[in-house]
């Protein structure tokens, strides 16, 4: 059996939807004997409203992200994924998740959660997931929270 996907990217932000996306990406990577690239993007817009820019805050956010990413990678390895890496990027989540990272790592499947921002942020700046599904050059799998999926089915 030929593997359909060789390089899978999963974007995580700590939300339930991202955790579900991670679990699905792990299963797909294992089934396809693929490389799993675990990506977290620190949105630099979140630092624009800080009146006195504090480098200690950026350092703390980076340390927290590093710990979370190591935990994700350990979970992937424990589940049987033999080739996994993690990356922490700074910038626009839309551009990095949808274009820059996939191009740099030859990604052929992006796995994302259905939401990550709150409703007001989605209305004002648009959903990262919606942007990625519309503009990515490779396949995109959107994972919905089980509770949402169950409500839609019932």
């Amino acid at each position: 059996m030929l593997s359909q996907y060789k390089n899978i990217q999963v974007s995580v932000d700590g939300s339930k939807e991202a955790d579900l996306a991670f679990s699905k990406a792990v299963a797909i990577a294992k089934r396809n004997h693929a490389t799993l690239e675990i990506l977290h993007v620190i949105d630099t817009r979140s630092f624009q409203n800080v009146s006195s820019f504090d480098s200690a805050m950026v350092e703390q956010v980076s340390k927290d992200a590093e710990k979370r990413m190591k935990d994700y990678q350990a979970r992937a390895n424990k589940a049987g994924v033999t080739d996994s890496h993690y990356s922490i990027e700074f910038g626009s989540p839309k551009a990095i998740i949808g274009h820059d990272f996939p191009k740099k790592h030859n990604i052929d499947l992006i796995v994302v959660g259905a939401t990550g921002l709150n409703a007001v942020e989605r209305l004002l700046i648009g959903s990262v997931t919606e942007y990625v599904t519309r503009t990515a050059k490779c396949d995109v799998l959107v994972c919905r929270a089980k509770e949402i999926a169950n409500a839609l089915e019932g």
Side-chain angles (χ1 to χ4, degrees):
M1 176 180 169
L2 295 176
S3 296
Q4 182 177 358
Y5 298 111
K6 297 200 180 314
N7 298 302
I8 299 168
Q9 169 188 317
V10 61
S11 303
V12 294
D13 64 3
S15 67
K16 287 181 184 179
E17 289 82 3
D19 204 50
L20 177 62
F22 172 78
S23 296
K24 288 189 178 184
V26 165
I28 295 166
K30 187 175 174 184
R31 186 170 53 242
N32 286 271
H33 305 286
T35 299
L36 180 63
E37 297 287 349
I38 310 162
L39 174 63
H40 177 70
V41 179
I42 297 174
D43 189 346
T44 53
R45 293 174 303 181
S46 61
F47 299 111
Q48 291 176 352
N49 295 333
V50 179
S51 57
S52 60
F53 183 74
D54 185 0
S55 61
M57 180 173 52
V58 175
E59 188 175 322
Q60 186 60 49
V61 168
S62 297
K63 282 183 183 179
D64 292 346
E66 179 89 15
K67 181 187 180 314
R68 189 176 317 121
M69 298 304 282
K70 285 181 179 179
D71 290 344
Y72 275 117
Q73 187 176 32
R75 285 174 53 193
N77 293 342
K78 185 176 180 181
V81 175
T82 58
D83 188 10
S84 67
H85 310 97
Y86 69 85
S87 297
I88 300 168
E89 303 282 337
F90 289 84
S92 165
K94 289 179 180 180
I96 293 170
I97 294 168
H99 300 288
D100 302 345
F101 194 88
K103 184 176 181 181
K104 183 177 178 183
H105 295 273
N106 198 29
I107 299 298
D108 50 17
L109 176 65
I110 300 171
V111 182
V112 292
T115 60
L117 299 174
N118 68 42
V120 173
E121 289 172 316
R122 282 194 305 273
L123 178 66
L124 295 176
I125 63 174
S127 163
V128 171
T129 300
E130 186 274 332
Y131 179 83
V132 171
T133 57
R134 202 169 26 85
T135 63
K137 303 286 186 215
C138 63
D139 289 348
V140 178
L141 174 62
V142 178
C143 301
R144 301 193 181 281
K146 291 177 186 174
E147 299 89 334
I148 296 169
N150 290 341
L152 292 174
E153 290 173 6

